[in-house]
Amino acid sequence: MTHGEIWILGATGRVGRAVAARIAAAGTVPVLVGRDAGRLRKAAADLGLCADSKIVVASGSDAMAAEISWQRPAVVVNTIGDYAETAVPLARACMPGGHYLDQANDPTAFHRLLALHDEAASAGSTLVTGAGFGVLGTESIVARLCENRPVPSKVRVDAFASVAVEEGVMGTALATSVVDGFAMGGRCFEGGRLVKTRLGGEVHHLALPDGERMSAVGVPSGELIAAQRVSKAPSVSATSGLVPASRAVRAALPPLSALLRIGTIRSFAIDWMAGIKAKATPRPRPHTWGHAVVTWPDGTVREGWLRAGDAMDFTSAVAAQTALQLAAGKGQPGAHTPAAALGHGLAIAAGADFID
Ligand SMILES: NC(=O)c1ccc[n+]([C@@H]2O[C@H](COP(=O)([O-])OP(=O)(O)OC[C@H]3O[C@@H](n4cnc5c(N)ncnc54)[C@H](OP(=O)(O)O)[C@@H]3O)[C@@H](O)[C@H]2O)c1
């Protein structure tokens, strides 16, 4: 194994560039991995890395997995997206001994990666999925509220991301996540089992701690899986403030979801969305908020909030902190969500604070 090397797959992308910048700022030179040497060199120069800093050019996720198996980096940060397909082969390539993390946020990708738990534990590798805002921003609150307490009966988590938009196209990685999220349809845990629900059926109206009023709609997400695993509650739901909560939009969600499950329509929607051009826009609210409400069988209810700045900044800080802590040997071998791997203090290390 090449001791200490942290590889950033997709280092020319939004998340990849931001994570690489944070790792470099912490004093570790990241290895930039991508499909185009010229764009990788430009990304390295933008980061202020020296001209001969190591880059790895690989044509796609299979070629990246082959390079990982061959060169044995200590930690791999996967920011290339399509995690339901890319996470497992890339994580397997890190074993034995190497560590892996990604920013997945969908139940399918979560189940596939978390199913590698025993394999990773015996290989001495730590695999972390969901190392970003939505998952750690809600999982860490639930972990705090449930610490040293019996198993609750019910948990709800809500994520209110406030994100500045970078000028440019949305790109295939993010478009695939959005389209596949809608295509999956609603999900929640009932009786300890993940069950289908009507997409858009659950809506909550909340006052944020800074006084702003927001609405959030139930979505299938990694937040849902992480909140269930950390609490072990039989009944769990998760909502997002990014989905418009108007009646008209919510009524359109189930037919839209059914349409997006048709292969050709899914591909068309991803291509169309990937090409949408955005203007640079500042974040709409000063803070990003995570929220959790935990209910115990005796009727006790506890509620908590996590406050961060820009959600994308928090995501890159979580990924960088996770990578640095794994490189320092702090992870438990196995496959985990972020707070389960490194504790809820990871959110504080990434710049957030908790408000009870
Ligand atoms: N959980 C969270 O909190 C959170 C937050 C933000 C984003 N995300 C997720 O993180 C992922 C990345 O988002 P982003 O905004 O950084 O996307 P992006 O700007 O489009 O960057 C994607 C990067 O991955 C590379 N890539 C894409 N497909 C690839 C493939 N098949 N093989 C090899 N490289 C490939 C791209 O390389 P090229 O330059 O060669 O195209 C680019 O460098 C998305 O899935 C997004 O949904 C999660």
Side-chain angles (χ1 to χ4, degrees):
M1 174 172 315
T2 317
H3 285 286
E5 272 189 8
I6 299 179
W7 284 23
I8 315 289
L9 314 187
T12 54
R14 279 173 295 244
V15 178
R17 279 181 278 128
V19 177
R22 285 179 184 274
I23 288 172
T28 300
V29 178
V31 175
L32 309 189
V33 184
R35 298 190 277 199
D36 182 275
R39 278 185 287 131
L40 285 174
R41 278 275 159 243
K42 179 175 182 313
D46 291 347
L47 287 175
L49 303 182
C50 54
D52 61 351
S53 64
K54 179 171 171 179
I55 59 166
V56 175
V57 183
S59 57
S61 63
D62 290 347
M64 288 174 181
E67 289 291 343
I68 294 165
S69 301
W70 166 243
Q71 298 201 40
R72 316 300 312 147
V75 179
V76 167
V77 185
N78 175 8
T79 78
I80 71 172
D82 197 9
Y83 295 114
E85 302 304 325
T86 64
V88 168
L90 288 166
R92 277 219 167 98
C94 296
M95 295 189 230
H99 309 301
Y100 166 93
L101 63 124
D102 66 36
Q103 291 79 44
N105 196 1
D106 72 277
T108 307
F110 265 55
H111 285 310
R112 289 183 184 168
L113 190 89
L114 294 170
L116 300 184
H117 180 73
D118 292 347
E119 209 177 308
S122 49
S125 291
T126 305
L127 316 179
V128 180
T129 190
F133 161 62
V135 176
L136 183 66
T138 49
E139 179 199 21
S140 57
I141 313 170
V142 178
R144 274 184 94 235
L145 295 177
C146 293
E147 204 164 37
N148 303 322
R149 296 199 157 232
V151 173
S153 47
K154 195 172 167 187
V155 170
R156 192 185 91 226
V157 292
D158 311 295
F160 298 98
S162 180
V163 196
V165 177
E166 213 180 84
E167 182 164 332
V169 294
M170 184 187 261
T172 308
L174 185 54
T176 304
S177 304
V178 174
V179 168
D180 286 350
F182 283 118
M184 174 171 248
R187 292 288 187 282
C188 72
F189 281 91
E190 275 174 22
R193 291 190 324 118
L194 188 64
V195 296
K196 289 186 180 175
T197 57
R198 184 179 178 281
L199 188 63
E202 181 173 3
V203 59
H204 297 283
H205 306 285
L206 280 150
L208 304 180
D210 59 11
E212 183 143 6
R213 300 209 143 262
M214 290 287 293
S215 300
V217 174
V219 285
S221 63
E223 279 106 279
L224 178 67
I225 310 297
Q228 201 278 332
R229 286 171 65 96
V230 76
S231 67
K232 301 186 176 55
S235 172
V236 181
S237 63
T239 74
S240 165
L242 290 178
V243 180
S246 74
R247 254 178 223 280
V249 170
R250 290 191 295 116
L253 286 177
L256 175 70
S257 172
L259 277 175
L260 292 174
R261 286 197 283 276
I262 300 168
T264 48
I265 296 180
R266 171 184 179 267
S267 305
F268 172 80
I270 291 173
D271 288 348
W272 170 75
M273 202 175 255
I276 292 176
K277 286 201 180 95
K279 280 196 208 145
T281 318
R283 65 182 191 254
R285 297 179 306 284
H287 296 113
T288 284
W289 295 96
H291 177 236
V293 185
V294 181
T295 308
W296 279 268
D298 67 0
T300 308
V301 179
R302 295 182 79 196
E303 182 178 7
W305 294 87
L306 169 141
R307 177 175 57 192
D310 183 278
M312 190 64 136
D313 289 347
F314 182 65
T315 288
S316 61
V318 170
Q321 271 299 322
T322 304
L324 291 164
Q325 294 194 21
L326 294 183
K330 292 191 180 154
Q332 282 274 9
H336 309 281
T337 51
L342 294 162
H344 52 68
L346 181 63
I348 305 285
D353 54 4
F354 293 108
I355 298 173
D356 292 333

